[in-house]
Amino acid sequence: MLLVDGDPDRAAAVREGLEASGCEVVGLLADLFDLVARVRACGADVLVCALDDPSRDAIEAMALLNRNEPRPVVLFAQSGGEAQIEAALEAGVAAYVIEGLAPARVRPVMEVAIRRFRAHEALKRELSETRATLAERKIIERAKGHLMRGRRLTEAEAHATLRRMAMDRGQRLVEAARGLLPNDAPTQREI
């Protein structure tokens, strides 16, 4: 875990508490400058931040981290308006805790944040896979329509023809379907 805290005394106490509870603290930062590179360099799997009042720059640094090196981020703050909390959550913060950082609170909050992060990442993967499957399905349906119009086949006959083509060529069904569609057909990204 990487700990970010501009208050050296509080950071030392939190680090001591985390290490006593079995966490490995791989680094301590006083600010979020060049966060992505610094996280990559130390290999931290979780980020715990203590920011009295998270700035727009801090939220942007966390969003950049979430985009390039996704990992659970726990943010402890002294305050937080609704818009500020919403911005932090949209930036990928897994837990936003108001009213400060106490060493005893960090580990349980961090564990919840890790679970929430993992669940969110699993949903993102599932959504991506579902979109890809749907896009492939659309390509197959368009290729079947192309066969139906061009060869005057029923839908079942077009599907069987497409399957035979794929098997004969050693391709996946969607690859055979792409090969049937005219070059001006929309690509998978356009669908």
Side-chain angles (χ1 to χ4, degrees):
M1 130 180 1
L2 181 61
L3 182 59
V4 179
D5 193 341
D7 179 337
D9 293 333
R10 181 175 59 196
V14 170
R15 180 179 201 150
E16 186 178 307
L18 286 169
E19 289 174 342
S21 68
C23 292
E24 180 185 358
V25 179
V26 296
L28 177 60
L29 304 177
D31 57 52
L32 294 170
F33 176 75
D34 201 18
L35 183 62
V36 173
R38 293 162 84 183
V39 167
R40 280 184 188 146
C42 72
D45 55 353
V46 178
L47 184 66
V48 175
C49 299
L51 304 172
D52 292 333
D53 187 20
S55 67
R56 172 178 245 157
D57 290 343
I59 300 298
E60 287 177 11
M62 290 177 207
L64 190 60
L65 178 69
N66 188 48
R67 196 169 29 255
N68 296 317
E69 293 284 332
R71 64 201 63 239
V73 176
V74 180
L75 177 58
F76 289 88
Q78 290 298 324
S79 63
E82 188 175 321
Q84 190 176 36
I85 293 170
E86 188 172 326
L89 294 176
E90 286 177 13
V93 171
Y96 191 113
V97 181
I98 298 174
E99 299 207 7
L101 176 64
R105 294 176 69 194
V106 176
R107 177 125 189 177
V109 171
M110 186 180 65
E111 288 173 359
V112 169
I114 291 169
R115 286 184 182 91
R116 182 177 180 271
F117 174 81
R118 287 179 182 156
H120 181 71
E121 289 296 304
L123 285 173
K124 282 181 11 184
R125 276 191 305 278
E126 185 178 333
L127 177 59
S128 177
E129 290 167 4
T130 300
R131 284 180 175 160
T133 299
L134 180 59
E136 287 181 358
R137 193 81 219 130
K138 286 180 179 180
I139 291 168
I140 291 167
E141 290 302 316
R142 287 186 40 246
K144 285 184 354 188
H146 183 73
L147 284 172
M148 290 166 64
R149 284 186 304 279
R151 297 185 186 179
R152 297 183 184 198
L153 301 173
T154 66
E155 184 177 359
E157 292 169 333
H159 186 75
T161 300
L162 188 56
R163 281 187 38 208
R164 259 193 318 277
M165 290 173 142
M167 288 186 349
D168 290 347
R169 297 173 184 169
Q171 296 177 319
R172 293 180 51 231
L173 193 59
V174 71
E175 293 165 350
R178 279 190 187 109
L180 280 178
L181 295 174
N183 289 338
D184 61 343
T187 63
Q188 182 175 352
R189 288 181 185 254
E190 295 171 333
I191 294 177

